């Protein structure tokens, strides 16, 4: 959370930084600010709220220097306000910070005792004070920053500039990402490559407790103790079009509509459309994937939010196909509950961003316990991807909307592939089941297209939903996590109270909530459990609940009991979760949009959760 841009080069820093911040706004939008050299002085402009308010304030403001830093904030310490906005200035030092300084109380106490005047409620300003104290002693920006790093505990990435040195910038990280973009006669420091992608394709990823020192055109890297280190330059072939709206009203809508293509890209490299064989190539393990998958005794998924719900689907898919025990854990719980990770456990982390702090900590913990790790990420070279032994990529393209959509369905597709691959490696997958599984998966992109073509019905259903006081999302089996995901989408986009439940759990409590103002959204494909689901719904309907159901084809029994019936194409039990997700995404989208809410950037959220 929080987005950082630092620039030193020959172009207008204001434009580069503000454009870069717009690309990073998904990381936080509580306030924004820039500090840029102008006539030998650092000029700072900050505004509460989204970057457009900063732009309004900046107006025609001109800066003639070539150095600057900028920040878009997701508030941790201190309310969202201009006073707490970054960059923070102390003496001649200006600084932007992403993350949390855990020992801030101790630092603050020391600073106050030494007479410091603290102007904001942030932990970030305290770091600026520490750098300022050091620079008054050393008169050297690099040394001042390096000395400060040793005083900080927590998770942070920080970029510092100094008014007395207009061609110099120092940055370091311990936790949240910080990436150096290497251009022609210009260099960038960003939280995400997207912020500099239009100027360079060459990036260096800082590891924890590494420092980068950019002076004029020279870029040098150091360990925390000040020793020079070599870093690898990564060349990315991403294009900037990936980050445009392409005529859609919102990024989220565009990303929902990209799902057929995204799913095809996720499964394409692993399926043979001629022989209908599954083969995941280049997982990156030291051993072959057959050796890894046949040698494990259990699988443990760890993830957060939507990625956690994808992992829950993975449990159903892998257990039923590969007959190996699978557990699923929320990363923030896993890391603190002293987990027992038995020998021969494969720990699979799922993270769209690859930067979620809890998931990153979880994979590190798993490695400490000797587990083999596999990451499923969308962002190659992200922190989690770099940490893992083996790698699978969602290949969804950049996901800008804060609510995850295409990354979720791409992950479900990959989990289908993985379930087949693990079953095959363990010799429990028949040739027929492999062929059928691959054929079913290859059919998903066109099924998704078909579901998207029903959007007007989902939009109509959304109209029906708007007056209810609460929502229960129900599903059974592999569709139970889809109900959870549907409820999360409604909560985060429309700010309405929704809960996901396993349909069979209704009579164990939630039935008490049912009255005519409670909507029940049910994922009920025609599968082995449909009759049980219909019985659960009868119980709710008898108590006045209004049912919106998502079924297969023309399911008359379901239709007759529903206020609104949404018909989906017939799909296998393994792939149904993918197509059933789309109506839930679109209903939440339309409902939120009709309410005039900010669909791409829901309140209080950020896309990349780099603090715990
Ligand atoms: C999804 O819509 C959410 N905004 C959120 O739950 C997200 O899935 C979660 O924060 C995990 O993110 P990650 O996949 O990048 O690790």
């Amino acid at each position: 959370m929080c987005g950082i841009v630092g620039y030193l080069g020959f172009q207008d820093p204001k434009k580069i930084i503000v454009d870069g911040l717009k690309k990073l706004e998904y990381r936080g939008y509580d306030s924004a600010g820039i500090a840029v050299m102008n006539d030998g002085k650092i000029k700072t402009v900050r505004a509460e709220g989204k970057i457009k308010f900063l732009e309004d304030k900046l107006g025609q403001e001109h800066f003639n220097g070539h150095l600057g830093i900028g920040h878009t904030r997701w508030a941790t310490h201190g309310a969202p306000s201009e006073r707490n906005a970054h960059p923070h200035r102390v003496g001649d030092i200006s600084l932007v910070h992403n993350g949390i300084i855990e020992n801030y109380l101790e630092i603050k106490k020391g600073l106050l005792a030494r007479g410091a005047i603290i102007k904001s409620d942030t932990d970030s300003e305290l770091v600026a004070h520490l750098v300022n104290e050091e620079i008054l002693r050393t008169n050297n920006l690099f040394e001042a920053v390096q000395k400060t790093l040793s005083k900080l505990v927590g998770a942070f990435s920080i970029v510092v500039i100094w008014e007395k040195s207009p061609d110099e910038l120092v940055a370091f990280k311990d936790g949240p990402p910080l990436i150096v973009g290497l251009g022609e006669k210009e260099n960038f420091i960003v939280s995400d490559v997207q912020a500099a992608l239009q100027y360079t394709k060459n990036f260096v990823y800082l590891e924890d407790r590494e420092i980068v020192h950019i002076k004029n055109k020279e870029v040098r890297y150091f360990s925390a103790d000040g020793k020079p280190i070599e870093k690898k330059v990564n060349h990315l072939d991403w294009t900037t079009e990936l980050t445009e709206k392409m005529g859609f009203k919102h990024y989220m809508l565009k990303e929902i509509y990209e799902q057929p293509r995204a799913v095809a890209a996720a499964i394409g490299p692993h399926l043979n459309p001629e022989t209908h064989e599954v083969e995941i190539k280049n997982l990156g393990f030291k051993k072959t994937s057959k050796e890894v998958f046949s040698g494990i005794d259990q699988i443990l998924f760890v993830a957060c939010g939507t990625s956690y719900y994808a992992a829950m689907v993975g449990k159903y898919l892998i257990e039923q196909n590969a007959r190996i025990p699978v557990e699923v854990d929320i990363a923030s719980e896993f890391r603190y509950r002293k987990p027992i990770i038995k020998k021969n456990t494969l720990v699979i982390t799922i993270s769209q961003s690859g930067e979620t702090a809890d998931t990153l900590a979880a994979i590190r913990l798993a490695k400490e316990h000797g587990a083999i790790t596999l990451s499923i990420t969308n962002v190659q070279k992200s922190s989690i991807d770099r940490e893992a032994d083996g790698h699978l990529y969602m290949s969804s393209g950049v996901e800008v909307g804060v609510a995850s959509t295409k990354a979720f369905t791409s992950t479900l597709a990959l989990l289908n592939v993985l379930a087949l691959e693990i079953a095959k490696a363990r010799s429990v997958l028949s040739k027929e089941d492999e062929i059928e599984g691959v054929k079913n998966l290859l059919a998903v992109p066109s099924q998704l297209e078909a579901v998207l073509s029903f959007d007007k019905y989902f939009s109509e259903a959304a109209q029906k939903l708007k007056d209810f006081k609460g929502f229960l999302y129900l599903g059974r089996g592999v569709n139970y996590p889809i109900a959870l995901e549907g409820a999360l989408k409604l909560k985060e986009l429309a700010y309405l109270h929704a809960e996901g439940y396993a349909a069979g759990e209704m009579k164990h409590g939630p039935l008490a909530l049912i009255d005519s103002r409670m909507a029940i959204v049910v994922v009920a494909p025609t599968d082995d459990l449909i009759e049980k689901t219909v019985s659960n719904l009868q119980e709710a309907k008898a108590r006045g609940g209004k049912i919106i159901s998502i079924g297969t084809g023309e399911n008359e029994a379901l239709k007759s009991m529903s206020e609104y019936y949404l018909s989906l194409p017939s799909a296998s039990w393994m792939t149904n979760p993918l197509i059933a997700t789309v109506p839930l995404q679109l209903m939440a989208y339309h409902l939120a949009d009709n309410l005039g809410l900010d669909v791409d950037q829901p309140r209080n959220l950020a896309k990349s959760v780099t603090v715990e």
Side-chain angles (χ1 to χ4, degrees), residues 305-322:
T306 288
S307 293
Y308 170 73
Y309 298 144
M312 287 176 74
V313 173
K315 175 180 167 75
Y316 286 90
L317 299 177
I318 296 174
E319 281 191 341
Q320 290 195 40
N321 281 283

Side-chain angles (χ1 to χ4, degrees), residues 301-349:
F301 277 104
V302 193
C304 299
T306 288
S307 293
Y308 170 73
Y309 298 144
M312 287 176 74
V313 173
K315 175 180 167 75
Y316 286 90
L317 299 177
I318 296 174
E319 281 191 341
Q320 290 195 40
N321 281 283
R323 307 308 304 153
I324 181 168
V326 180
E327 295 305 325
V328 187
D329 235 310
I330 293 172
S332 55
E333 290 297 313
F334 173 81
R335 62 184 290 195
Y336 291 115
R337 69 168 169 78
K338 298 195 173 58
I340 300 163
I341 305 175
K342 289 196 217 133
K343 222 170 123 227
N344 301 327
T345 297
L346 172 66
V347 172
I348 306 178
T349 51

Side-chain angles (χ1 to χ4, degrees), residues 35-90:
V36 177
M37 289 300 295
N38 186 50
D39 287 335
K41 299 264 175 237
I42 293 175
K43 194 165 163 185
T44 306
V45 180
R46 307 184 298 178
E48 185 181 334
K50 296 195 165 202
I51 291 164
K52 63 174 186 284
F53 298 114
L54 173 69
E55 276 187 301
D56 290 348
K57 242 179 145 178
L58 280 166
Q60 296 310 310
E61 195 103 36
H62 181 70
F63 301 83
N64 56 18
H66 299 291
L67 172 75
I69 52 178
H71 187 270
T72 180
R73 178 170 187 244
W74 187 84
T76 52
H77 284 248
S81 65
E82 188 177 329
R83 197 167 70 91
N84 289 331
H86 299 220
H88 288 283
R89 172 145 190 176
V90 176

Side-chain angles (χ1 to χ4, degrees), residues 18-29:
V18 172
D19 284 354
L21 290 179
K22 284 190 197 155
K23 297 263 165 24
L24 300 184
E25 201 170 20
Y26 71 87
R27 303 180 70 89
Y29 27 86

Side-chain angles (χ1 to χ4, degrees), residues 304-307 350-354 356 402-404 488-489 492 609:
C304 299
T306 288
S307 293
I350 301 178
S351 175
Q352 186 285 132
S353 61
T356 299
V402 166
S404 190
L488 178 64
K489 284 284 137 329
E492 64 181 339
V609 185

